[in-house]
Amino acid sequence: MSGKQLSIIIPVYNVEKYIAKCLRSIVEEGAGTTGAVEVIVVDDGSTDKSGRIADAFARKHPCVRVIHQENAGVAAARNAGIRSACGAWLYFVDSDDWLEKGGVRAICEETAKVPDADVLFMEAYQNVGRKQSGWVHFDADTDMADRESITKLQCGVLYAPFWRRTKNDPMAAPWDKVYRRDFLMENHLQFCAHLKVLDDMVFNFEVMGAARNVACRKIRPYHYRRFVAESITNTYKPDRVLQDREVWRYLLSLDVWSGNDVLQKALMCRIVKSFSICCRLCFFHDDNKKKLREKIRYVERVMGSEPYRTAFGTVRLSDLEWKLKIVALAGRIRSGWVMYLLHVAWESAKKLKSLRG
């Protein structure tokens, strides 16, 4: 296995509209990386032209390798990339996003400066249509080698305001981090392929739990393409509650909670937030054709079940964003009607905002 500085792992599934831009943003600066980078595309059973587009790039660019496998989900695809990678550092890129010009070079330069770090934390751009903004995780470059600081980052992975109170930037995704391969191997860290949602959050939670040295750098090599109406993140998920329960069951099975109040508080906040997301994607989604009373009864059953009942009952309102404070209060009184009215009000406000701008 020949050594590389960086392995870029790209899970691919039916993204023929976006994969070429993603790969071009990486390989077009290949000459500047002097062979230090490999690109591993894992075609996870695509039924469109995605795999063929990736194969065409591999024929033209020696740094690109393509793995074709039966569809097993994004977590399994990332794990296949981990097993195949030979880089000292691993970087996970989503196939509908792209890298900033000079981004690969910047990552290689920064990882070379922190050979003892387990994880390199970075920042990213958010792109919504033609609009672009930057996420800011850090005020300045910093290195963390104490458990208290890294635990704070770990809490931020569960619920971002625990890291930076004035922001709610995403902390759970893998594309604003680079991971030292030996660190992942030594700690048997990989994505949980049995989880259908939040597998990246769980992965980074475990990564931060094992990390002893985290470098944070204010470079911004990544462009996250945020979709709006057509996004899979906005489609109806009738099984979302069941999928979330698998996540809570796995997290609560980990031996990390005893005596760690701050992690427990962050988890309670995350559960409340996920319940709020279920209102949008499951309970009250327009494609849910059940009668309203049936929806309300289901919401109230979920409120009264674990771990939601404990989360609503124990979460500190001061730890939550203002919208989630109201969700938590509605959860405490187990009122599905209040939750429904909140959902209607927020969706109406979003539509009004969209019309205005």
Side-chain angles (χ1 to χ4, degrees):
M1 182 180 286
S2 59
K4 299 282 185 179
Q5 173 71 7
L6 181 68
S7 296
I8 300 177
I9 298 168
I10 310 174
V12 167
Y13 180 73
N14 288 357
V15 284
E16 63 182 11
K17 289 171 59 178
Y18 308 108
I19 182 61
K21 179 173 182 175
C22 176
L23 287 171
R24 276 198 304 270
S25 73
I26 297 168
V27 302
E28 282 182 354
E29 59 174 290
T33 60
T34 61
V37 176
E38 65 171 355
V39 182
I40 303 172
V41 179
V42 184
D43 174 25
D44 190 39
S46 295
T47 57
D48 66 359
K49 297 177 183 177
S50 299
R52 279 174 281 170
I53 294 171
D55 286 337
F57 271 85
R59 287 192 293 270
K60 186 176 180 182
H61 300 278
C63 65
V64 178
R65 288 192 283 129
V66 183
I67 299 170
H68 296 279
Q69 64 179 35
E70 292 185 6
N71 180 253
V74 64
R78 286 173 176 151
N79 289 341
I82 293 173
R83 290 192 296 271
S84 179
C86 62
W89 292 84
L90 307 185
Y91 186 41
F92 300 97
V93 170
D94 287 353
S95 53
D96 50 6
D97 298 333
W98 70 96
L99 268 64
E100 175 76 350
K101 185 177 181 179
V104 174
R105 187 177 294 105
I107 293 171
C108 288
E109 289 173 354
E110 292 301 328
T111 52
K113 296 174 186 176
V114 289
D116 296 327
D118 298 320
V119 185
L120 172 67
F121 239 103
M122 306 174 294
E123 295 177 346
Y125 291 103
Q126 175 182 218
N127 292 78
V128 184
R130 296 178 180 272
K131 297 180 180 179
Q132 178 174 291
S133 58
W135 279 308
V136 179
H137 294 324
F138 318 102
D139 294 322
D141 291 353
T142 186
D143 295 306
M144 300 179 187
D146 62 291
R147 192 66 245 164
E148 183 178 354
S149 297
I150 297 175
T151 297
K152 189 176 179 183
L153 267 179
Q154 189 180 20
C155 289
V157 166
L158 289 176
Y159 186 64
F162 265 79
W163 167 247
R164 195 174 176 92
R165 296 296 301 181
T166 58
K167 296 281 185 178
N168 195 14
D169 296 343
M171 301 284 285
W175 35 254
D176 59 358
K177 306 167 190 69
V178 195
Y179 309 86
R180 187 165 55 82
R181 183 179 178 277
D182 286 349
F183 160 71
L184 295 184
M185 298 298 104
E186 291 162 5
N187 289 278
H188 309 289
L189 293 166
Q190 62 177 355
F191 293 84
C192 292
H194 71 283
L195 299 179
K196 303 304 180 186
V197 295
L198 302 178
D199 56 279
D200 49 359
M201 181 192 78
V202 171
F203 173 73
N204 281 308
F205 179 81
E206 293 192 271
V207 163
M208 292 303 155
R212 294 295 175 265
N213 192 326
V214 177
C216 306
R217 294 294 180 268
K218 287 186 68 62
I219 60 171
R220 191 173 279 135
Y222 195 85
H223 287 268
Y224 170 71
R225 188 194 303 269
R226 183 175 179 181
F227 296 95
V228 188
E230 74 276 16
S231 173
I232 190 171
T233 58
N234 290 309
T235 55
Y236 178 41
K237 306 288 195 312
D239 297 329
R240 181 58 191 250
V241 173
L242 298 177
Q243 293 171 348
D244 281 356
R245 285 191 195 280
E246 286 299 312
V247 175
W248 314 139
R249 187 175 295 114
Y250 178 80
L251 283 176
L252 290 168
S253 73
L254 300 177
D255 186 23
V256 298
W257 307 104
S258 179
N260 202 325
D261 291 343
V262 67
L263 278 183
Q264 292 179 34
K265 290 174 183 177
L267 178 62
M268 294 302 103
C269 290
R270 176 68 240 194
I271 292 170
V272 171
K273 180 175 182 176
S274 289
F275 184 92
S276 178
I277 292 171
C278 283
C279 288
R280 177 169 56 87
L281 299 183
C282 178
F283 305 142
F284 305 124
H285 194 282
D286 289 342
D287 290 340
N288 184 349
K289 302 306 181 184
K290 294 180 181 177
K291 293 180 179 179
L292 181 57
R293 287 189 177 276
E294 291 181 67
K295 297 177 184 178
I296 297 298
R297 284 198 293 269
Y298 180 48
V299 171
E300 291 177 346
R301 284 200 303 274
V302 175
M303 285 177 174
S305 66
E306 294 298 348
Y308 302 99
R309 179 172 56 190
T310 295
F312 287 132
T314 62
V315 71
R316 295 194 316 179
L317 296 182
S318 60
D319 288 335
L320 293 167
E321 307 152 75
W322 71 267
K323 288 183 180 180
L324 295 185
K325 295 180 196 293
I326 305 172
V327 170
L329 289 171
R332 286 179 182 177
I333 62 174
R334 297 185 197 172
S335 175
W337 286 104
V338 171
M339 205 68 75
Y340 171 69
L341 293 173
L342 287 173
H343 170 77
V344 170
W346 290 335
E347 290 301 304
S348 299
K350 283 198 310 190
K351 289 176 182 176
L352 183 60
K353 184 178 179 181
S354 177
L355 290 172
R356 286 175 174 174

